[in-house]
Amino acid sequence: MIQTGVARGTLADAERGTLYRVRRRVTFFARHYPLGFAGGVLLMMMITVAILAPLIAPYDPLGQDIPNKLAAPSSQFWFGADNFGRDVLSRVLYGARISLYVGFASVGLATVVGMLIGVASGYLGGVVDLVIQRVVDMLLGFPGLILAMVMVVAIGASLNNVVFAIAVVFAPRVVRLARSSALSIKEEPYVLAALSIGASHIRIMLRHILPNALAPVFVLATGYLGTAIVVEASLSYLGLGVPPPHASCGNMIFAGSRGTLEAAPWLSVFPGLALAFVVFSFSFLGDALRDAFDPRLRGT
Amino acid sequence: MRRYIGRRVLLYFPTLLLASMAIFAIMRVLPGDVTQVILGGDQTTPRALAQAEDLRQRLGLNDNIVIQYFRWVWSMINGEFGGASIVSREPISEIIARRLPVTLELAAWTTLIAWAISIPSGVIAAMYQNRMPDYFVRIVTVAGTALPNFWIALMLILIMLIFFSWTPPIFYLDLWENPVQHMLKIIWAALILAWGYSSYLTRVTRSTMLEVLRQDYVRTARSRGLRERAVVLRHALPNAMIPVLTLGGLQLATLLSGTVILETVFSLPGIGQGVVQAATERDYPVIQSLVMLLVTLMLTLNVVIDIIYAKIDPRISYG
């Protein structure tokens, strides 16, 4: 009976209105994929906390308080304080904000650009396809982190450059998937029908192929969000990511590991836990969505 | 089949060429003069100008860009690997000769440990699906794929420091020079990398085993009264291994990303650490050549795996 999961909908549902349908799908998802649902709920919470960081954070994440330098976790500083006396909890809250921003922005950019290129590549075929696929092959030949590093070295480290560098890592993977969907969709009768009534290629790509190729790409992208956040943290850890004074989990861990790892372990433990929490949530949600959309992969 | 292999090999070269062009181009899109980035500071004094000119001469930046590109490609082929570092002036061929064995050894240990762990745990998880051993394996593997490996590394160092007052050796010594210290230095990075790598392999093994265990011939084997162990090890496992081998092989290439960061955390003098060091020092010739080396390794590995896959899996015919 677990057929197509989330994508299921019947005529009776359609008559009952959108709200009912959404609620039904959510309860279905929650019942069959409890871990994925929990991941989704946790993520919602994290996103809310990240957005509300200025209201929730007990201190200014950049405010130095030298007398409380390296203060251990206490009721005053829940996660302790760093070597400038800055409150680690406040910095983690703001750091989560940056991590989530980089994750969503880079994967979003990769998805939009990758979708457009992939659909064009698959639909148009011929030389366009050949050239695009060679470029994709080439980009996939780079170890992901190294590609991002090289991009950052070339264009300089800033918040948006890091987003761009990570998007370059993920875009070719999206192109691959979108292309293969486009290849099968373009043989569908409705595409031929659109073509026969004189629709332009642009219209067919944007109105017919793109929307139908969206679901698998969306699922893939959810899975990539966590990975993108780890890539950002890794870049920051290597000193090539989001530049200070921005508090990113990666550069907090890096700063905490330089000379103060033993004296003040909270400097790298808490940002790392926060990072792990976000990535776990994404990977549970991503896996569940993938299973729901593709029953053949269930339980892998 | 032969046509497939031929096509695969033919596509390999343009991809490699394109990658070399991309790397070469990326290193030159920097705004302004690369010598300014390298030398830094005030560039208007006569001495600084002469210094910049000297550097430009040394890097061959006064030549046509196409000539520069071909000179670099030729030096990659003839074993000079693009000249010397602009920071330490060490020839890049020596840097590679010094660093490549470390990375390859790390990759070898990682692969060995990962395969040794993941095949049995994947099989056990499949045999006890949705029972305790399966849940345990799944939690460990999810953690292995989700946790950032550099953070695990730091936590490991922290735990060893706090509970055993012990840290990995500071200096890297050659395997033949001091095997014990060498292993104590390299094994941690290998273990952590292996956790991530084996998590993926375990999940693939588990899911293909689950699929194979439901096949008719497995039921037939059981109906003949064979012991469960014989059914699993002799009938199911060999057939489940084909996709595991391919996916595992492909994942081997992404292992290189992991070595970059763990070599840095554990200060192992491998290629990955070399790239990071060159990137922070803006040592362009070194970044360019080391990255090209890694990309060549990865693309070659992918072709080899594709060909092996086509050879060992008779079910798939390639047009």
Side-chain angles (χ1 to χ4, degrees):
Chain A
M1 67 152 277
I2 315 164
Q3 290 293 312
T4 42
V6 172
R8 197 168 69 166
T10 60
L11 197 65
D13 287 357
E15 286 161 1
R16 280 173 162 155
T18 321
L19 194 69
Y20 173 79
R21 267 202 328 264
V22 170
R23 203 165 53 206
R24 229 192 85 139
R25 284 180 192 187
V26 170
T27 39
F28 181 90
F29 187 72
R31 193 159 345 116
H32 290 277
Y33 305 98
L35 269 182
F37 185 71
V41 171
L42 279 176
L43 264 179
M44 290 294 184
M45 279 164 58
M46 304 280 285
I47 292 169
T48 316
V49 165
I51 291 172
L52 299 179
L55 301 175
I56 301 172
Y59 300 92
D60 175 6
L62 304 176
Q64 303 189 3
D65 178 12
I66 302 298
N68 281 314
K69 184 178 155 182
L70 298 180
S74 63
S75 58
Q76 193 191 355
F77 301 103
W78 287 8
F79 288 2
D82 71 2
N83 47 354
F84 293 109
R86 296 177 296 198
D87 178 43
V88 174
L89 174 61
S90 309
R91 289 177 66 73
V92 166
L93 290 176
Y94 277 86
R97 230 178 158 175
I98 301 230
S99 295
L100 287 168
Y101 168 73
V102 172
F104 278 110
S106 58
V107 174
L109 184 64
T111 309
V112 172
V113 174
M115 266 315 276
L116 292 174
I117 296 177
V119 166
S121 177
Y123 179 75
L124 297 173
V127 182
V128 179
D129 186 41
L130 192 72
V131 171
I132 292 176
Q133 289 317 306
R134 290 296 73 70
V135 174
V136 166
D137 270 351
M138 181 268 286
L139 286 173
L140 290 176
F142 282 85
L145 184 60
I146 293 189
L147 180 57
M149 260 171 67
V150 170
M151 295 300 298
V152 170
V153 170
I155 59 182
S158 76
L159 187 59
N160 287 324
N161 285 357
V162 168
V163 167
F164 177 75
I166 297 175
V168 172
V169 175
F170 292 105
R173 292 152 220 265
V174 176
V175 171
R176 268 285 154 81
L177 186 64
R179 173 182 178 266
S180 68
S181 305
L183 278 178
S184 62
I185 295 169
K186 89 173 176 189
E187 305 298 334
E188 294 282 342
Y190 59 80
V191 173
L192 296 179
L195 204 62
S196 72
I197 57 168
S200 69
H201 289 314
I202 301 275
R203 188 185 162 83
I204 289 176
M205 280 191 270
L206 293 180
R207 294 293 296 271
H208 298 282
I209 297 189
L210 199 98
N212 287 302
L214 214 58
V217 170
F218 180 72
V219 172
L220 186 79
T222 316
Y224 283 160
L225 283 168
T227 324
I229 289 174
V230 172
V231 173
E232 184 278 318
S234 307
L235 283 174
S236 294
Y237 179 77
L238 296 173
L240 294 164
V242 178
H246 285 298
S248 127
C249 291
N251 56 34
M252 287 173 74
I253 296 172
F254 173 69
S257 69
R258 296 288 118 165
T260 48
L261 186 62
E262 193 187 6
W266 50 90
L267 296 187
S268 32
V269 170
F270 289 114
L273 280 177
L275 200 61
F277 208 59
V278 175
V279 178
F280 259 110
S281 311
F282 273 123
S283 89
F284 282 136
L285 181 65
D287 281 0
L289 283 179
R290 193 194 54 188
D291 290 355
F293 276 97
D294 189 350
R296 277 170 307 164
L297 294 170
R298 187 164 299 130
T300 59
Chain B
M1 173 75 170
R2 188 165 294 167
R3 245 187 80 196
Y4 168 78
I5 293 177
R7 204 179 111 87
R8 193 69 188 77
V9 172
L10 268 185
L11 281 179
Y12 166 76
F13 291 103
T15 311
L16 206 57
L17 197 70
L18 209 60
S20 72
M21 286 179 191
I23 293 170
F24 187 80
I26 289 172
M27 287 295 119
R28 274 152 193 81
V29 295
L30 293 140
D33 192 342
V34 72
T35 55
Q36 223 149 7
V37 182
I38 296 165
L39 298 169
D42 184 19
Q43 292 292 313
T44 49
T45 60
R47 191 169 170 273
L49 283 176
Q51 221 175 4
E53 184 52 38
D54 173 54
L55 186 65
R56 226 173 277 136
Q57 200 72 45
R58 198 145 46 85
L59 295 176
L61 293 176
N62 291 332
D63 296 323
N64 183 311
I65 187 104
V66 180
I67 295 177
Q68 287 184 44
Y69 170 71
F70 281 110
R71 195 166 47 212
W72 175 61
V73 170
W74 174 240
S75 80
M76 285 305 286
I77 297 168
N78 74 11
E80 276 177 24
F81 295 104
S85 153
I86 49 174
V87 177
S88 67
R89 306 221 172 176
E90 185 182 4
I92 298 175
S93 53
E94 280 175 27
I95 298 183
I96 290 174
R98 182 161 56 83
R99 289 182 177 275
L100 191 58
V102 180
T103 301
L104 291 181
E105 194 196 328
L106 179 60
W109 283 119
T110 305
T111 315
L112 204 70
I113 299 170
W115 285 93
I117 299 173
S118 50
I119 306 298
S121 43
V123 170
I124 289 170
M127 286 171 68
Y128 295 90
Q129 191 189 7
N130 293 331
R131 274 180 281 165
M132 275 326 262
D134 185 29
Y135 285 129
F136 177 75
V137 166
R138 277 160 77 181
I139 289 169
V140 172
T141 56
V142 168
T145 46
L147 295 173
N149 51 17
F150 64 95
W151 186 68
I152 302 178
L154 287 175
M155 292 305 107
L156 183 75
I157 294 176
L158 189 64
I159 288 168
M160 293 194 293
L161 197 64
I162 291 175
F163 292 102
F164 305 102
S165 304
W166 187 84
T167 52
I170 295 168
F171 299 107
Y172 174 84
L173 290 176
D174 206 58
L175 179 61
W176 312 118
E177 220 175 307
N178 188 337
V180 176
Q181 194 172 344
H182 173 85
M183 284 317 290
L184 284 177
K185 181 89 178 160
I186 207 165
I187 199 67
W188 309 109
L191 280 172
I192 291 166
L193 274 177
W195 186 9
Y197 181 42
S198 69
S199 296
Y200 178 78
L201 281 179
T202 307
R203 282 157 64 123
V204 177
T205 310
R206 177 180 172 275
S207 64
T208 50
M209 270 309 277
L210 281 176
E211 212 172 280
V212 170
L213 283 174
R214 294 199 183 108
Q215 300 283 322
D216 287 344
Y217 67 85
V218 171
R219 196 180 47 195
T220 308
R222 286 208 179 105
S223 72
R224 280 164 52 210
L226 287 181
R227 277 177 307 156
E228 187 62 21
R229 201 164 65 168
V231 174
V232 170
L233 294 184
R234 212 150 1 111
H235 294 257
L237 190 60
N239 283 311
M241 284 316 289
I242 295 172
V244 179
L245 275 174
T246 335
L247 291 169
L250 289 175
Q251 199 70 8
L252 203 60
T254 49
L255 197 81
L256 290 171
S257 276
T259 60
V260 172
I261 197 148
L262 284 181
E263 280 175 5
T264 308
V265 178
F266 288 100
S267 60
L268 291 167
I271 295 281
Q273 193 212 34
V275 176
V276 174
Q277 196 185 333
T280 39
E281 288 170 343
R282 316 266 154 198
D283 195 343
Y284 295 102
V286 177
I287 306 180
Q288 188 171 286
S289 299
L290 292 189
V291 170
M292 190 63 217
L293 182 76
L294 286 177
V295 172
T296 311
L297 263 174
M298 221 166 128
L299 288 172
T300 313
L301 207 61
N302 285 349
V303 173
V304 172
I305 289 161
D306 274 359
I307 293 173
I308 294 176
Y309 190 38
K311 285 245 185 241
I312 61 172
D313 195 343
R315 284 174 303 182
I316 298 164
S317 69
Y318 295 91

